[in-house]
Amino acid sequence: MAMTSELKENFILIGVFGLFTLALMVARLLLRKIQKHSLSADDYLTAFAFICFAARMTIAVLILLWGTNSTDLSVPAGGQFKEPGIHHREMGSKLALANRVVYATYIWTQKAVIIVLYNRIPPGLLWPGRILTASWVALAVTFILVLVMSFSECSPFHLYWQVVPDPGTCAKATLHSYIHTGANALTDLILITIPLPWILRESWSRTQKSLLFFLLFLGLFLIAFAFSPLPVVNQNTSRTHQNALQNAEAFLLAFLANIITIAGLDRRYSAEDDDIDGIDHHDVPWPNSYSNRFSTGSGFRSLFDKKIIVTSKFELQHQTVSPSRVRQMFPRHPWTTPKRMSDENLIIQARGGSGS
């Protein structure tokens, strides 16, 4: 295949954005090892996202080299396609089908990393557990929907990679593009909305809030990039333009998912929020595996605000664990017995006092 200027531009885009995207994930994992922290759930998800994106880069290069059954289908001068050309296009079409799954998996995995980060820096909401649980459900449902639509347009199934005769419009995956775009933009909006209450927190400095504003501003660009796969009516969007937007989306999502951990801000923020119990949550191997405290009742402000205001019915629950489980979860803290706290002691500590 001749190396055209458009092909060179696409290779440069894939290489530049791809290397920076992979570098962000590698930097995160290396810093975790250098700082001798045990790997947590979001670290494992980041490693999985690294594999997905590396596979996506390889697939994208092969698709550009071989083409697909939905790009540049003009009949050659001889009146028919040559056998090697047909085979390459069939292989490229199969890879394009696989690329939809791999790219969606990468995107949704990075979003899962962000939600795990939200678990470690609890939002100042009335029901943070319910909101984050709903976010997990929305992420799972939209991901399954995108995967199902990736294989639902062409019937019979081999039309996805059929070159001759013309497979029709199903090979262009127009419906999949709309579903993927809608689900992607919706989940991006959810991820941006969750941390908005942090801006109102009195315990955060102006610098911390400015950083949050900056990250939310980048999140708006992420929503804009999510619309890149949409076919534009009466306009021929070039393949280079779409590749640029998709690679920019992949890089920006990797940046948002990893920059807070790379800078160590997640440990700083969570330390400010969780100095009530003195637990280093970053050493917990899986989110929410440590002892949970939660409260229900009207007139309640989150424990994460370090204050408890009771105006009416109030219920406080505390879950304890066995000594062996405590030692397993917190190897750096030589606790020999589970720490049991009464409701009164917990309230005193939440107010900043000292309790027996």
Side-chain angles (χ1 to χ4, degrees):
M1 182 177 182
M3 184 67 69
T4 63
S5 59
E6 181 183 1
L7 196 59
K8 291 179 181 179
E9 291 176 0
N10 280 282
F11 284 150
I12 292 174
L13 287 172
I14 293 174
V16 173
F17 279 105
L19 289 177
F20 278 108
T21 302
L22 294 175
L24 281 171
M25 292 181 277
V26 170
R28 174 206 177 103
L29 297 176
L30 285 179
L31 285 175
R32 297 286 287 140
K33 284 297 183 181
I34 293 174
Q35 296 169 356
K36 297 181 180 180
H37 289 295
S38 58
L39 295 181
S40 56
D42 44 349
D43 296 319
Y44 288 109
L45 288 172
T46 300
F48 179 67
F50 178 91
I51 296 173
C52 290
F53 190 78
R56 191 256 175 186
M57 287 181 61
T58 304
I59 292 174
V61 170
L62 293 176
I63 291 175
L64 289 173
L65 290 174
W66 291 342
T68 66
N69 60 353
S70 60
T71 58
D72 191 19
L73 290 177
S74 56
V75 179
Q80 60 182 0
F81 286 104
K82 295 182 179 180
E83 189 64 29
I86 294 177
H87 176 69
H88 285 163
R89 287 177 181 272
E90 288 179 349
M91 294 299 298
S93 301
K94 292 177 181 179
L95 289 175
L97 186 61
N99 185 57
R100 298 176 196 171
V101 177
V102 174
Y103 184 65
T105 303
Y106 165 78
I107 292 293
W108 263 257
T109 300
Q110 292 286 29
K111 294 178 182 183
V113 172
I114 296 177
I115 296 182
V116 174
L117 177 65
Y118 290 164
N119 275 277
R120 194 158 60 244
I121 310 177
L125 303 175
L126 184 59
W127 300 293
R130 296 180 183 179
I131 292 177
L132 294 176
T133 300
S135 301
W136 280 114
V137 172
L139 199 68
V141 170
T142 52
F143 178 64
I144 294 173
L145 179 62
V146 170
L147 290 187
V148 170
M149 291 308 304
S150 299
F151 305 102
S152 301
E153 287 190 69
C154 285
S155 181
F157 193 72
H158 67 81
L159 291 179
Y160 275 114
W161 57 81
Q162 177 176 296
V163 177
V164 180
D166 188 351
T169 58
C170 76
K172 297 181 179 180
T174 303
L175 181 59
H176 169 268
S177 297
Y178 282 107
I179 297 297
H180 176 93
T181 299
N184 195 13
L186 175 62
T187 49
D188 287 342
L189 183 61
I190 292 174
L191 294 180
I192 293 175
T193 304
I194 291 176
L196 287 179
W198 292 351
I199 300 176
L200 304 177
R201 304 191 64 175
E202 298 178 357
S203 60
W204 280 26
S205 66
R206 183 173 299 178
T207 302
Q208 292 171 325
K209 293 181 179 180
S210 299
L211 176 61
L212 179 60
F213 270 117
F214 173 69
L215 295 178
L216 293 178
F217 179 73
L218 293 181
L220 296 178
F221 279 98
L222 194 62
I223 295 178
F225 290 147
F227 288 92
S228 60
L230 278 182
V232 182
V233 180
N234 297 327
Q235 292 188 20
N236 293 323
T237 305
S238 67
R239 184 167 55 177
T240 302
H241 180 258
Q242 285 194 344
N243 279 337
L245 292 177
Q246 286 189 356
N247 283 287
E249 178 190 24
F251 168 74
L252 183 56
L253 190 54
F255 180 85
L256 293 174
N258 295 284
I259 190 60
I260 291 182
T261 302
I262 291 175
L265 298 177
D266 58 332
R267 293 188 296 277
R268 184 186 307 173
Y269 292 172
S270 61
E272 293 176 0
D273 288 328
D274 301 319
D275 58 2
I276 295 175
D277 51 14
I279 295 176
D280 182 5
H281 289 176
H282 211 73
D283 285 336
V284 180
W286 298 99
N288 294 333
S289 62
Y290 48 85
S291 177
N292 294 316
R293 299 182 184 92
F294 59 93
S295 302
T296 58
S298 59
F300 171 72
R301 286 181 60 185
S302 173
L303 277 175
F304 305 120
D305 289 332
K306 306 178 185 178
K307 296 178 182 179
I308 297 179
I309 298 178
V310 182
T311 58
S312 61
K313 179 181 177 182
F314 183 82
E315 177 186 358
L316 184 63
Q317 301 184 18
H318 178 64
Q319 176 184 350
T320 59
V321 294
S322 64
S324 60
R325 180 57 178 161
V326 171
R327 288 192 294 270
Q328 179 183 358
M329 291 191 299
F330 309 105
R332 299 185 181 181
H333 301 276
W335 297 348
T336 58
T337 58
K339 186 176 181 182
R340 301 177 180 273
M341 302 176 64
S342 66
D343 295 352
E344 295 180 357
N345 289 339
L346 182 57
I347 293 175
I348 291 174
Q349 287 199 13
R351 290 175 174 172
S354 60
S356 56

